[in-house]
Amino acid sequence: MQKFKTIKSIPAYLSIVNIDTDMIIPKQFLKTIKRTGLGKNLFYEMRYNEKGNPIEDFILNTKPFNKSKILIAGKNFGCGSSREHAPWALLDFGITCVISSSYADIFYNNCFKNGILPIILPDTKIKELSDYSKRKEEITVNLEEQKITYGNNETTFEIDQFKKKCLLEGLDDIALSLEKNPKISEFEKKLVANKPWILND
Amino acid sequence: MSKTLYDKIWDEHLVHEQDDGTSLLYVDRHLVHEVTSPQAFEGLRNSKRQVRQPNLTLAVADHNVPTSDRSKGIADVESKLQVETLEKNCKEFGIKLFGMNDKRQGIVHIIGPEQGFTQPGSIIVCGDSHTATHGAFGSLAFGIGTSEVEHVLATQTLVQKKSKNFRIKVDGELSIGVTSKDVILQIIGKIGTAGGTGYVIEYAGSLISSLSVEQRMTICNMTIEGGARAGLIEPDQKIFDYLKDRPMSPKKDDWNKALDYWSKLKSDNEAKFDKEITLEGKDIMPMVTWGTSPQDVISIDEKIPNPESETDEDRKNSIERSLKYMGLKPGTAIKDVKIDKVFIGSCTNGRIEDLRDAAKIIRNKKVAQHVYAMVVPGSGLVKQQAEQEGLDKVFKESGFDWREPGCSMCLAMNSDKLKPEERCASTSNRNFEGRQGRGGRTHLVSPGMAAAAAISGSLDDVRKYQS
């Protein structure tokens, strides 16, 4: 997994609330057996018309936001299905940081498995940042310091310290869990003794 | 210290806990389908890892399968590749798979319970948000992403942080024509689509206990639409009777041991819930969604809301956007809204009782001339049972299309989909923009309400057709 340290980018603001994973990546693109290549279909139905041509006033189709690495969005971002294709599509487009006032749980977790930082800020700060995004100026997100810098302002954000460590170091959590192999085996031994039907049937 | 059922299941599965509360939990049952698993198996291959407990995973193809004649295979090249990839992966890693032509094939959340793979007190996961369904058995069941699917395959565990406890009590009785689908739609309308975020919900109360096992599954299934990853119900005799002698249920001595354990699974009387709400059965009416989020729901007697009367700016904009997409005007009686299609099926309402409910309404009646209506049974076994009861004839005689099992038009990954601006009364779980086909307009309803809409040709009150 790619490490996440600091990024600098002009943020794009999508004012819609409850953006679901069907909007982020519609189902016709879930037929892939790969993780890559989904960026061109990110927000497909908002981004392209029925003939497949780009809708000009959609934010990610307009310069300079078509190169944004940071997406600011309305609350409850990523609700709906568990499809990891949603963070894969964001990542493939180049977005490695999302800023919203809240996220759906599964999407939030999926971000961390893919080196994407989902930042939670209060509504007032979202308003401030989204207003700032109209200036088309770069902002900086520093994970180590848990700080966003925009112009002469800065704001801090909270994050789970273990998740932060995994992002900063790009850790593979399967490898980490496999280190606990003896504990898992011990657990399974007890399972055979106490709940034999779990492994038997 | 008093504990909730969720607390107890959590503690029972704890393999390791870090100081910050990040925990490694043992997974008892893992379900796999073709859409969210190929990249997970690929990951295992790339890192030369094995599946730790192949017997604890069960696989089936459901999202991509055609619901028409299957003898010719899958026409869509990408869908075909995905289904074949699942077959190849299961063979390589020694995982049990119900193939497309196996009569046990069906939607992953229908076949788990049907086979007795789903069991009380266990942790059940699947790369699918509607895994919450299995919580009806008193298990902790939730959807995971593909990276987590890979994690479960490799380690039979998951890294999790504990959620908070939320109890929703529903007391009293349901009125005639009102179902558990209406209960969960009303709950989502009340708490909102993010109302359960960060929580595990326990459904309790006399009305919940009075529900059949299948009705409970409908409620737990849509928990995710209220933002909570998992919803569960204390298991009781109905659950144990349902599971007895299922192909993958515990046998002989193990059955007695399991039963003894399952019978003790309940929240302590003094257990503390972080959040709690109560609903009364008599206040629940047949419900229908009007917008593009499951929280956009009203009873069939109501009118479509006016964004102008909203004070919250976000909510106002969201209503306006929904109404524009849905092609609806504020103040219209929802009963006057004409429909083009009816879909009965999905992991929410594709079980035998759902088909019986709809058949009861449609019997000796005809589908309105301008309406195309389809029934997609949740599994091959549901289809077989329905045919034994003659339900297929009831549907076909009234003008319904009787199809093969799968996810079908719930998410329109196969060729069953809405055309732009087509309007559908659907027993599925999501009315998101484009969910049933680009530009398609979904109204979520119960199976009886879907049948009533098919007859009337517009959204209608099922109680009108109750004999």
Side-chain angles (χ1 to χ4, degrees):
Chain A
M1 191 174 80
Q2 199 75 30
K3 290 177 186 172
F4 188 108
K5 302 239 174 210
T6 296
I7 57 166
K8 211 175 195 185
S9 168
I10 297 168
Y13 175 52
L14 207 49
S15 66
I16 308 164
V17 297
N18 299 325
I19 292 178
D20 56 71
T21 52
D22 276 81
M23 279 182 184
I24 300 173
I25 186 81
K27 68 264 173 185
Q28 62 268 35
F29 306 112
L30 308 188
K31 295 180 182 182
T32 177
I33 55 169
K34 297 194 165 66
R35 287 171 195 255
T36 50
L38 289 164
K40 58 182 184 295
N41 304 319
L42 177 71
F43 295 117
Y44 188 87
E45 285 170 15
M46 290 195 259
R47 205 164 137 208
Y48 303 98
N49 66 18
E50 274 161 39
K51 289 182 183 140
N53 299 319
I55 295 168
E56 280 178 16
D57 61 353
F58 181 69
I59 183 109
L60 298 182
N61 287 338
T62 60
K63 283 184 186 167
F65 304 111
N66 57 344
K67 298 266 187 271
S68 288
K69 294 177 193 164
I70 301 170
L71 180 70
I72 307 169
K75 67 180 176 192
N76 196 28
F77 187 82
C79 60
S81 120
S82 66
R83 60 187 71 163
E84 202 161 311
H85 308 69
W88 295 338
L90 288 165
L91 193 65
D92 198 60
F93 180 89
I95 292 169
T96 50
C97 175
V98 186
I99 305 176
S100 177
S101 57
S102 62
Y103 299 88
D105 289 338
I106 306 179
F107 174 83
Y108 186 74
N109 271 308
N110 281 343
C111 283
F112 288 98
K113 313 283 180 195
N114 291 283
I116 297 174
L117 170 64
I119 296 177
I120 302 171
L121 287 181
D123 285 321
T124 49
K125 285 286 169 203
I126 297 287
K127 174 97 184 43
E128 231 177 277
L129 273 172
S130 56
D131 285 345
Y132 189 85
S133 74
K134 291 176 197 149
R135 297 191 191 190
K136 303 182 181 176
E137 287 172 17
E138 284 186 330
I139 69 169
T140 305
V141 173
N142 183 324
L143 176 58
E144 180 66 58
E145 294 176 23
Q146 298 177 213
K147 196 168 76 185
I148 305 172
T149 313
Y150 49 111
N152 295 322
N153 302 309
E154 58 178 50
T155 187
T156 54
F157 57 89
E158 292 301 314
I159 185 170
D160 178 284
Q161 291 307 298
F162 181 65
K163 286 191 162 80
K164 175 179 171 180
K165 179 179 149 78
C166 290
L167 273 186
L168 282 172
E169 297 174 23
L171 295 178
D172 167 6
D173 63 350
I174 296 181
L176 287 179
S177 295
L178 283 172
E179 288 172 12
K180 312 259 165 46
N181 215 348
K183 289 203 164 203
I184 302 172
S185 298
E186 196 186 317
F187 186 94
E188 282 173 337
K189 243 187 236 164
K190 273 194 260 168
L191 203 55
V192 171
N194 300 333
K195 290 193 250 174
W197 65 91
I198 297 293
L199 289 155
N200 278 357
D201 293 284
Chain B
M1 206 182 91
S2 297
K3 289 181 183 177
T4 65
L5 177 54
Y6 167 56
D7 296 335
K8 291 180 186 181
I9 299 177
W10 178 277
D11 291 349
E12 276 275 307
H13 290 81
L14 206 54
V15 174
H16 176 75
E17 187 177 359
Q18 291 173 205
D19 292 340
D20 69 347
T22 302
S23 301
L24 195 64
L25 295 180
Y26 197 79
V27 173
D28 302 304
R29 297 288 183 259
H30 181 207
L31 290 153
V32 160
H33 65 71
E34 78 278 21
V35 179
T36 55
S37 68
Q39 297 84 353
F41 285 110
E42 184 64 19
L44 288 182
R45 257 190 301 270
N46 289 344
S47 47
K48 300 195 167 44
R49 285 171 181 148
Q50 297 296 310
V51 176
R52 184 178 177 95
Q53 293 283 2
N55 290 337
L56 299 187
T57 294
L58 175 65
V60 70
D62 55 5
H63 284 58
N64 268 299
V65 297
T67 59
S68 51
D69 180 16
R70 287 187 184 161
S71 56
K72 296 183 217 83
I74 305 176
D76 182 294
V77 180
E78 284 180 298
S79 292
K80 186 167 185 272
L81 176 65
Q82 211 169 42
V83 172
E84 285 173 356
T85 303
L86 180 68
E87 289 167 0
K88 199 175 88 209
N89 285 332
C90 287
K91 203 169 168 194
E92 182 182 336
F93 290 96
I95 287 164
K96 187 176 189 128
L97 166 82
F98 292 164
M100 200 170 77
N101 294 314
D102 190 314
K103 74 172 181 192
R104 298 168 296 179
Q105 181 270 340
I107 307 171
V108 68
H109 308 306
I110 306 262
I111 67 157
E114 210 167 61
Q115 294 298 319
F117 188 71
T118 301
Q119 292 167 9
S122 52
I123 290 189
I124 304 176
V125 298
C126 173
D128 192 289
S129 61
H130 290 111
T131 308
T133 314
H134 309 267
F137 289 79
S139 60
L140 176 61
F142 53 92
I144 55 177
T146 298
S147 297
E148 290 176 310
V149 170
E150 187 181 336
H151 193 284
V152 174
L153 289 170
T155 69
Q156 204 55 40
T157 63
L158 261 184
V159 180
Q160 294 287 301
K161 268 223 162 157
K162 203 163 172 206
S163 305
K164 289 183 278 189
N165 283 289
F166 185 177
R167 178 159 61 187
I168 298 181
K169 276 180 87 174
V170 193
D171 288 319
E173 285 173 21
L174 287 180
S175 314
I176 290 172
V178 181
T179 67
S180 63
K181 179 67 165 282
D182 304 301
V183 174
I184 188 63
L185 282 172
Q186 177 126 352
I187 288 172
I188 297 162
K190 198 175 165 97
I191 67 173
T193 182
T197 303
Y199 292 90
V200 163
I201 296 176
E202 178 170 345
Y203 299 99
S206 59
L207 191 144
I208 299 292
S209 327
S210 75
L211 296 174
S212 72
V213 174
E214 296 196 354
Q215 290 167 332
R216 294 178 195 183
M217 284 194 246
T218 302
I219 292 196
C220 290
N221 171 276
M222 285 188 73
T223 301
I224 185 69
E225 267 55 72
R229 279 176 90 171
L232 44 76
I233 298 171
E234 173 188 311
D236 59 8
Q237 195 57 42
K238 283 182 197 168
I239 296 291
F240 311 145
D241 291 344
Y242 177 100
L243 287 174
K244 182 102 177 90
D245 298 327
R246 299 261 164 188
M248 297 182 186
S249 287
K251 303 279 165 351
K252 296 176 186 157
D253 254 15
D254 280 355
W255 171 261
N256 295 327
K257 282 181 195 155
L259 199 59
D260 185 48
Y261 177 75
W262 296 347
S263 312
K264 293 177 190 129
L265 293 167
K266 53 188 71 181
S267 290
D268 296 328
N269 289 335
E270 307 299 317
K272 190 185 150 297
F273 287 85
D274 303 284
K275 193 169 167 180
E276 203 155 4
I277 61 164
T278 304
L279 281 81
E280 283 295 330
K282 64 174 169 35
D283 300 333
I284 302 172
M285 300 293 145
M287 304 296 282
V288 53
T289 61
W290 52 266
T292 55
S293 165
Q295 70 181 3
D296 300 338
V297 67
I298 50 179
S299 77
I300 188 68
D301 294 324
E302 287 181 276
K303 293 193 165 101
I304 291 161
N306 193 337
E308 294 309 322
S309 48
E310 268 299 328
T311 47
D312 179 270
E313 196 63 21
D314 277 349
R315 184 66 190 139
K316 184 172 167 245
N317 293 341
S318 146
I319 294 177
E320 277 170 357
R321 185 184 166 93
S322 290
L323 291 182
K324 189 174 168 219
Y325 179 87
M326 293 296 287
L328 294 171
K329 293 206 165 49
T332 313
I334 193 83
K335 242 187 277 192
D336 293 339
V337 175
K338 212 172 148 187
I339 55 149
D340 307 297
K341 284 190 172 163
V342 169
F343 170 66
I344 296 177
S346 85
C347 58
T348 311
N349 282 128
R351 285 170 287 268
I352 189 67
E353 288 179 18
D354 299 314
L355 304 193
R356 287 179 192 144
D357 269 2
K360 206 166 64 189
I361 302 298
I362 202 82
R363 192 181 291 271
N364 300 324
K365 303 223 171 40
K366 292 282 178 212
V367 171
Q369 273 209 324
H370 68 276
V371 172
Y372 167 78
M374 68 197 291
V375 183
V376 180
S379 73
L381 294 176
V382 170
K383 182 170 186 260
Q384 189 181 45
Q385 174 72 24
E387 287 172 353
Q388 275 168 14
E389 296 177 20
L391 302 183
D392 57 323
K393 290 196 189 69
V394 174
F395 283 114
K396 284 193 265 190
E397 279 164 13
S398 67
F400 266 88
D401 203 356
W402 179 253
R403 320 269 302 184
E404 296 297 323
C407 296
S408 180
M409 209 162 69
C410 173
L411 86 166
M413 259 189 93
N414 67 356
S415 55
D416 308 335
K417 55 185 77 163
L418 296 180
K419 296 191 192 87
E421 299 191 6
E422 267 187 338
R423 192 179 295 284
C424 180
S426 177
T427 67
S428 54
N429 40 57
R430 286 186 181 135
N431 50 346
F432 294 161
E433 287 180 22
R435 172 82 177 179
Q436 293 193 296
R438 184 172 185 147
R441 295 162 172 170
T442 305
H443 295 274
L444 301 176
V445 287
S446 70
M449 286 283 282
I455 303 166
S456 303
S458 49
L459 295 168
D460 205 352
D461 192 336
V462 61
R463 292 172 294 190
K464 196 167 106 183
Y465 294 102
Q466 296 281 343
S467 44

